[in-house]
Amino acid sequence: MADKLTHFNDQDRARMVDVTAKKVTARFARATGQIHMHPTTLQQITAGHIKKGDVLAVAQVSGIMAAKRTAELIPMCHLIPLTGVDIHFHDNGHDTITADAVVKTKHVTGVEIEALLAIQTTLLTIYDMCKAIDRGMVIDDVHLVEKDGGKSGHFIFAQPDN
Amino acid sequence: MADKLTHFNDQDRARMVDVTAKKVTARFARATGQIHMHPTTLQQITAGHIKKGDVLAVAQVSGIMAAKRTAELIPMCHLIPLTGVDIHFHDNGHDTITADAVVKTKHVTGVEIEALLAIQTTLLTIYDMCKAIDRGMVIDDVHLVEKDGGKSGHFIFAQPDN
Amino acid sequence: MADKLTHFNDQDRARMVDVTAKKVTARFARATGQIHMHPTTLQQITAGHIKKGDVLAVAQVSGIMAAKRTAELIPMCHLIPLTGVDIHFHDNGHDTITADAVVKTKHVTGVEIEALLAIQTTLLTIYDMCKAIDRGMVIDDVHLVEKDGGKSGHFIFAQPDN
Amino acid sequence: MADKLTHFNDQDRARMVDVTAKKVTARFARATGQIHMHPTTLQQITAGHIKKGDVLAVAQVSGIMAAKRTAELIPMCHLIPLTGVDIHFHDNGHDTITADAVVKTKHVTGVEIEALLAIQTTLLTIYDMCKAIDRGMVIDDVHLVEKDGGKSGHFIFAQPDN
Amino acid sequence: MADKLTHFNDQDRARMVDVTAKKVTARFARATGQIHMHPTTLQQITAGHIKKGDVLAVAQVSGIMAAKRTAELIPMCHLIPLTGVDIHFHDNGHDTITADAVVKTKHVTGVEIEALLAIQTTLLTIYDMCKAIDRGMVIDDVHLVEKDGGKSGHFIFAQPDN
Amino acid sequence: MADKLTHFNDQDRARMVDVTAKKVTARFARATGQIHMHPTTLQQITAGHIKKGDVLAVAQVSGIMAAKRTAELIPMCHLIPLTGVDIHFHDNGHDTITADAVVKTKHVTGVEIEALLAIQTTLLTIYDMCKAIDRGMVIDDVHLVEKDGGKSGHFIFAQPDN
């Protein structure tokens, strides 16, 4: 493990890390997260799948749009022109929806934060659209799954042993 | 439990719910969330507390700023002029930081989403600033704690029994 | 017809008109517009209605989100907290989709521009999502249909005789 | 004509198309559009040309600024660093102003949407600045005129025969 | 002089001050600032006044638009729906342009920062548009001139004696 | 000195200058500026340095974030993906804080405006956070210090003789 937070300058203040000399390479990141809800809430959402009123369609649009604006929200993130964003949903048939996001770029820094923000925004939009019927939903287990490209190489998430 | 997702119109498409006739009242919402990390990562962050380089200071600024932009990110959210945002941090001395946000307004709709977005952004900024040393951090247990004001009244989160 | 463009100051430069003294009232505006396309393009979009892949769902989310950001894009527009946005679609079964937007607020100025921007953005998103198969689409006949509330009162669009 | 909307993934949900492997090339797009108004309105605007109070100057600034923010508004658009935006106006001396926008980039995708959004915003700003004297203005005939660069090559708009 | 910075919470971290209980009143703020330049630069700008190519028209649009976005840029600022923004220019005929901005609202907090940001952005846009001929321009003497409304009452700037 | 403002087209209207053919090179810009205040105000800020409540930490985050959004605020600026931003502070021990910003990119145009906007926003955030105790602060002497890279080459600010 590295021993230094690189986001600080010689006055011990935050800076945007200098990546001027880094190489442009193809990069991707995959992130995931879940939202737990009352079983009735999930039924209403999945019923919506069949009709046109589609909570997940709105949620997914919000996630894609948020990924593009990561640098506006996360102070030390570099602006990265993304080359692809794709979000998938799975549910456990009972009380949980899982969202997975893959984000790609060809740039000097990685897109981990973009993928994580896509997941967070997607899940929060689900919360927003269902809060009238269920304010107790919980967003959980949001983490990076995998990333590749760049000097730090390939990363695969290892579930911590609790 | 209500039986209807109010965010859909007669074409079964998403709409921004009409709140024109709702009353202006003082409202607040409190949300919470956690980020789990390697113990060494927490040590580096808390060491930063003592020096000026302060991960949590940056994270908290990002959370406050994000709360103000909720309506830009969450598609069906109404723009709400917030009257106060305050974020606190606690850590368990080992591997977890908890953030709590209180958001206030005097408006026709509530600020639950604003409080949740403040938490999500705060935690993601912690991830961003520490990812060079720990990409395996997990954001967890993000939920509304309490809200008050408005027609739907007082809500207190009841931890689901798993 | 009034004889003065109110958006200019005594140096003949643009200003944001002073509405400090205007009364808060409920206001709404309805706008409409069309996009013409190749008949095959419309077939592909309406086929999407039946499946989940739904061009219009994305278009409509974009229109609602754009309405909220009108003051950022249109230089002399006042920021208006909207209380409702609803967009409907109709197609002529051949080569044209019509979008209608209703925008509401309770504020000191009207929401005509918000409704028009919702329509423009909705139609442009349809263009964007179908441009790979049809770059010749034309956006047409975008205008205010009706507005009410405020000092200038009720307006209903009178189709000009060409 | 292609037979597939590329903006959907294997869950039939919208995605931002993956352009990671596309080549960086110089690209441009030219779009046009019109706003029809009462002849008196056009007189007031063109009188402004002579004095400093200049509706078209404000409109054109808004169009250039909007072009840069296309990816924020149109959900599946890639962020593209533009290398040039130029807008021209023509009027028919009676009741119509035409705006033309040329947008350029050196990037992996085209700038058609950017050019169309520049036109839409420019025309809507004209509407906004003149609405106090003419709410019946109509925005019309907004379309791509020409684009070049990239795999899909040169496109020139062919006026449909109605 | 007060002895406490109100923007900090009990963890000594920044917060957005709670203004929920403050009264809505009409408020205004006037700010000013200058940009010094090479005399030739001023000649080119003022020559532009006479022709249509007008640096100051663009600068002033940018200042009005920036005032509306103050809460996005200044972390602890409350979002305030502005009811008016007006910017004037004066030059000394030699090497300096002065900009004055008046910003108004009817809200629970004041608009000092909005007026100052309008001035800063206006002056920086002048710099941007002229930097090809003069990179040595200096922005100077940006301060609040006067504000009124709200509990803290009337303020008039007193030029410090240096 | 050049004799032409390049930001105007053949209709004498503002345009975003065409940089499609310019070369990608590493570029940096350094800008500076000051804020003058009552000596008591500086004491309160520097006392904050020692405790965690840190005006300058918030100010600096705001400056970094603003630099990334320059193209949204300054109408004719090109969007530039920045590769680094770093801000330092110095105070004279009496009544003045100086901020210095270094901004870097590898792109077809320079980052002078980004560096200047970082400084302006940083200083305005200091004003905002201290205005409750000192509304008479003055922002002064904001200028480019040095820039390099690109066709126009190396620039070093020469203090004008007043």
Side-chain angles (χ1 to χ4, degrees):
Chain A
M1 178 171 283
D3 64 341
K4 184 122 162 281
L5 297 175
T6 54
H7 273 298
F8 294 96
N9 68 16
D10 53 13
Q11 290 195 335
D12 284 326
R13 291 191 183 284
R15 59 174 177 149
M16 191 197 293
V17 176
D18 185 352
V19 297
T20 316
K22 291 181 73 178
K23 269 209 322 211
V24 171
T25 62
R27 293 155 191 267
F28 86 92
R30 182 186 306 270
T32 192
Q34 304 188 333
I35 184 164
H36 306 300
M37 60 193 69
H38 196 283
T40 313
T41 308
L42 184 60
Q43 282 168 31
Q44 295 234 2
I45 292 173
T46 52
H49 275 216
I50 294 156
K51 297 191 297 163
K52 279 173 297 174
D54 190 340
V55 170
L56 301 188
V58 179
Q60 172 217 38
V61 171
S62 76
I64 293 171
M65 294 178 83
K68 293 190 274 185
R69 303 180 70 185
T70 303
E72 285 180 45
L73 290 167
I74 306 302
M76 302 304 145
C77 265
H78 299 82
L79 175 71
I80 300 179
L82 305 180
T83 54
V85 184
D86 199 356
I87 297 174
H88 285 75
F89 295 103
H90 308 278
D91 68 74
N92 68 352
H94 177 49
D95 63 356
T96 298
I97 294 172
T98 301
D100 290 289
V102 173
V103 177
K104 296 183 181 179
T105 194
K106 206 166 172 179
H107 205 68
V108 296
T109 48
V111 286
E112 296 95 318
I113 306 300
E114 283 73 8
L116 288 163
L117 183 57
I119 290 298
Q120 286 188 320
T121 306
T122 297
L123 298 175
L124 187 54
T125 297
I126 295 175
Y127 185 101
D128 178 48
M129 295 191 71
C130 301
K131 71 176 189 290
I133 60 172
D134 186 0
R135 271 193 181 77
M137 289 175 280
V138 177
I139 293 172
D140 231 11
D141 207 20
V142 174
H143 64 81
L144 189 66
V145 174
E146 184 181 359
K147 75 112 205 165
D148 207 0
K151 204 180 57 178
S152 70
H154 197 191
F155 166 88
I156 294 188
F157 182 76
Q159 193 69 44
D161 3 295
N162 293 323
Chain B
M1 178 171 283
D3 65 340
K4 186 122 162 282
L5 296 176
T6 54
H7 272 299
F8 294 96
N9 68 17
D10 54 15
Q11 289 193 336
D12 284 327
R13 288 187 185 288
R15 59 174 176 148
M16 192 197 294
V17 177
D18 185 351
V19 297
T20 317
K22 290 181 73 177
K23 270 208 322 210
V24 172
T25 61
R27 294 154 190 268
F28 86 93
R30 181 186 306 267
T32 193
Q34 302 188 333
I35 184 163
H36 306 300
M37 61 193 67
H38 196 283
T40 314
T41 309
L42 185 60
Q43 281 167 31
Q44 295 235 2
I45 293 173
T46 51
H49 275 215
I50 293 155
K51 297 191 297 164
K52 279 174 297 174
D54 189 340
V55 170
L56 301 188
V58 180
Q60 171 218 39
V61 170
S62 77
I64 292 172
M65 293 179 83
K68 294 190 273 185
R69 303 182 68 185
T70 303
E72 283 180 48
L73 290 168
I74 306 301
M76 303 303 145
C77 264
H78 300 82
L79 174 72
I80 300 180
L82 305 180
T83 53
V85 184
D86 198 357
I87 296 174
H88 285 75
F89 295 103
H90 307 277
D91 67 73
N92 69 353
H94 177 48
D95 63 358
T96 299
I97 294 173
T98 302
D100 290 288
V102 173
V103 177
K104 297 184 179 178
T105 194
K106 205 166 171 179
H107 205 68
V108 295
T109 48
V111 287
E112 294 95 319
I113 306 303
E114 282 74 6
L116 288 162
L117 182 58
I119 290 297
Q120 286 187 320
T121 308
T122 297
L123 297 175
L124 186 54
T125 297
I126 294 175
Y127 184 100
D128 178 49
M129 295 189 72
C130 301
K131 70 177 191 289
I133 58 171
D134 186 1
R135 272 192 180 77
M137 288 176 279
V138 177
I139 293 172
D140 229 12
D141 206 20
V142 174
H143 64 81
L144 188 65
V145 174
E146 184 181 1
K147 75 112 202 164
D148 206 1
K151 205 179 57 178
S152 69
H154 196 190
F155 166 87
I156 294 188
F157 182 76
Q159 192 69 43
D161 3 292
N162 292 326
Chain C
M1 176 170 284
D3 65 340
K4 185 124 162 282
L5 296 176
T6 53
H7 272 297
F8 294 96
N9 68 16
D10 54 15
Q11 289 193 338
D12 285 327
R13 292 189 183 285
R15 59 174 176 150
M16 191 196 295
V17 176
D18 185 352
V19 296
T20 316
K22 290 182 75 177
K23 269 209 321 211
V24 171
T25 62
R27 294 154 190 268
F28 86 93
R30 181 185 306 268
T32 193
Q34 304 190 332
I35 184 163
H36 306 299
M37 61 192 68
H38 196 284
T40 312
T41 309
L42 185 59
Q43 281 167 31
Q44 296 235 3
I45 293 173
T46 52
H49 274 216
I50 294 155
K51 298 191 295 162
K52 280 174 298 176
D54 190 340
V55 169
L56 301 189
V58 179
Q60 172 218 36
V61 170
S62 77
I64 291 171
M65 292 179 84
K68 293 190 274 186
R69 302 181 70 186
T70 304
E72 284 181 47
L73 290 167
I74 307 301
M76 302 303 145
C77 264
H78 300 81
L79 173 72
I80 300 180
L82 305 181
T83 54
V85 184
D86 199 357
I87 296 175
H88 285 75
F89 295 103
H90 307 276
D91 68 72
N92 70 353
H94 176 50
D95 63 357
T96 300
I97 294 172
T98 302
D100 289 289
V102 173
V103 177
K104 296 183 180 178
T105 194
K106 206 165 170 180
H107 205 69
V108 295
T109 48
V111 286
E112 295 95 319
I113 306 303
E114 282 75 7
L116 288 162
L117 181 59
I119 289 298
Q120 286 187 320
T121 307
T122 296
L123 298 174
L124 186 54
T125 297
I126 294 174
Y127 184 101
D128 177 49
M129 295 191 70
C130 302
K131 70 176 190 291
I133 59 172
D134 187 1
R135 272 193 180 75
M137 289 176 279
V138 177
I139 292 172
D140 230 11
D141 207 19
V142 174
H143 64 82
L144 188 66
V145 175
E146 185 182 359
K147 74 112 203 166
D148 207 0
K151 203 179 61 178
S152 69
H154 197 189
F155 166 88
I156 294 187
F157 182 76
Q159 194 68 45
D161 2 292
N162 294 325
Chain D
M1 177 170 287
D3 66 340
K4 186 122 162 280
L5 297 176
T6 54
H7 273 298
F8 294 96
N9 68 15
D10 54 15
Q11 290 193 336
D12 284 328
R13 290 189 185 286
R15 60 175 175 149
M16 191 197 294
V17 177
D18 185 350
V19 297
T20 316
K22 291 181 73 177
K23 271 210 320 212
V24 171
T25 61
R27 294 156 190 267
F28 86 92
R30 181 186 305 268
T32 191
Q34 302 189 333
I35 183 164
H36 306 300
M37 60 193 70
H38 196 284
T40 313
T41 308
L42 184 59
Q43 282 168 30
Q44 295 235 3
I45 292 172
T46 51
H49 274 216
I50 294 154
K51 297 191 296 163
K52 281 174 296 174
D54 190 340
V55 169
L56 300 188
V58 179
Q60 172 218 36
V61 171
S62 76
I64 292 170
M65 293 178 83
K68 293 190 273 185
R69 303 182 69 185
T70 303
E72 286 180 45
L73 291 168
I74 306 301
M76 302 304 145
C77 264
H78 301 80
L79 174 72
I80 300 179
L82 306 180
T83 53
V85 184
D86 198 356
I87 296 174
H88 285 77
F89 295 103
H90 307 275
D91 68 74
N92 69 353
H94 177 48
D95 62 357
T96 299
I97 294 172
T98 301
D100 290 288
V102 173
V103 177
K104 297 183 179 177
T105 194
K106 206 166 172 179
H107 206 68
V108 295
T109 49
V111 287
E112 296 95 318
I113 306 301
E114 283 74 7
L116 288 163
L117 182 59
I119 289 298
Q120 286 188 321
T121 306
T122 297
L123 298 175
L124 186 54
T125 296
I126 295 175
Y127 185 101
D128 178 49
M129 295 191 71
C130 301
K131 71 176 190 290
I133 59 172
D134 187 1
R135 273 193 180 76
M137 289 175 279
V138 177
I139 292 172
D140 231 12
D141 208 19
V142 174
H143 64 81
L144 189 66
V145 174
E146 184 181 0
K147 74 114 204 163
D148 207 0
K151 202 180 60 177
S152 70
H154 197 189
F155 165 88
I156 294 188
F157 182 77
Q159 193 69 44
D161 4 292
N162 294 324
Chain E
M1 177 171 283
D3 64 341
K4 186 125 161 279
L5 296 176
T6 55
H7 272 298
F8 294 97
N9 68 17
D10 54 14
Q11 289 193 336
D12 284 327
R13 290 189 184 286
R15 59 174 177 149
M16 191 196 295
V17 177
D18 186 350
V19 297
T20 316
K22 290 180 75 177
K23 270 209 322 209
V24 171
T25 61
R27 293 154 191 268
F28 85 93
R30 182 186 306 268
T32 192
Q34 303 190 332
I35 184 164
H36 307 299
M37 61 193 68
H38 196 283
T40 314
T41 309
L42 185 60
Q43 282 168 31
Q44 295 234 5
I45 292 173
T46 52
H49 275 215
I50 293 155
K51 297 191 298 162
K52 281 175 297 175
D54 190 341
V55 169
L56 300 189
V58 179
Q60 172 218 36
V61 170
S62 77
I64 292 172
M65 293 179 83
K68 293 191 273 186
R69 302 182 69 186
T70 304
E72 285 181 46
L73 291 167
I74 306 301
M76 302 303 146
C77 263
H78 299 82
L79 174 72
I80 300 179
L82 305 181
T83 54
V85 184
D86 198 357
I87 297 173
H88 285 76
F89 296 103
H90 307 276
D91 68 72
N92 69 352
H94 177 50
D95 62 359
T96 300
I97 295 173
T98 302
D100 290 287
V102 173
V103 177
K104 295 183 180 180
T105 194
K106 205 166 172 178
H107 206 67
V108 295
T109 48
V111 287
E112 294 95 320
I113 306 302
E114 284 74 7
L116 288 163
L117 182 58
I119 289 298
Q120 285 187 320
T121 307
T122 297
L123 297 175
L124 186 54
T125 297
I126 294 174
Y127 185 101
D128 177 50
M129 296 191 70
C130 301
K131 71 177 189 289
I133 58 172
D134 187 0
R135 273 192 180 76
M137 289 176 279
V138 177
I139 293 173
D140 230 11
D141 206 20
V142 174
H143 64 82
L144 188 65
V145 175
E146 184 181 0
K147 74 112 204 165
D148 206 1
K151 203 179 60 179
S152 70
H154 197 189
F155 167 87
I156 294 186
F157 182 77
Q159 193 68 46
D161 4 291
N162 293 325
Chain F
M1 176 171 284
D3 65 341
K4 186 122 161 282
L5 296 175
T6 54
H7 273 298
F8 295 96
N9 68 16
D10 54 14
Q11 289 195 337
D12 284 327
R13 290 189 184 285
R15 60 175 175 148
M16 192 195 295
V17 176
D18 186 352
V19 296
T20 317
K22 292 181 73 177
K23 269 210 320 213
V24 171
T25 61
R27 293 156 192 267
F28 85 92
R30 182 186 305 270
T32 193
Q34 304 188 332
I35 183 163
H36 307 299
M37 61 193 67
H38 195 283
T40 313
T41 308
L42 185 59
Q43 282 168 30
Q44 296 236 0
I45 293 173
T46 51
H49 274 216
I50 294 157
K51 296 191 297 163
K52 280 175 297 176
D54 189 341
V55 169
L56 300 188
V58 179
Q60 173 218 37
V61 171
S62 77
I64 292 171
M65 294 179 82
K68 293 191 273 185
R69 303 182 69 186
T70 303
E72 286 180 45
L73 291 168
I74 306 302
M76 302 304 146
C77 264
H78 300 82
L79 174 71
I80 300 179
L82 305 180
T83 54
V85 184
D86 199 356
I87 297 174
H88 285 75
F89 294 103
H90 307 275
D91 68 74
N92 69 352
H94 175 48
D95 63 357
T96 298
I97 295 171
T98 301
D100 289 289
V102 173
V103 177
K104 297 184 180 178
T105 194
K106 205 166 171 179
H107 205 68
V108 295
T109 48
V111 287
E112 295 95 317
I113 306 301
E114 284 74 7
L116 287 162
L117 182 58
I119 289 298
Q120 285 188 321
T121 307
T122 297
L123 298 175
L124 186 54
T125 296
I126 295 175
Y127 184 101
D128 177 48
M129 295 191 71
C130 302
K131 71 177 189 288
I133 58 171
D134 187 0
R135 273 193 179 76
M137 289 175 280
V138 177
I139 293 172
D140 230 13
D141 206 19
V142 173
H143 63 82
L144 189 66
V145 175
E146 184 181 0
K147 74 113 202 164
D148 206 0
K151 204 180 59 177
S152 69
H154 197 189
F155 167 87
I156 294 188
F157 182 77
Q159 194 68 46
D161 3 291
N162 293 324

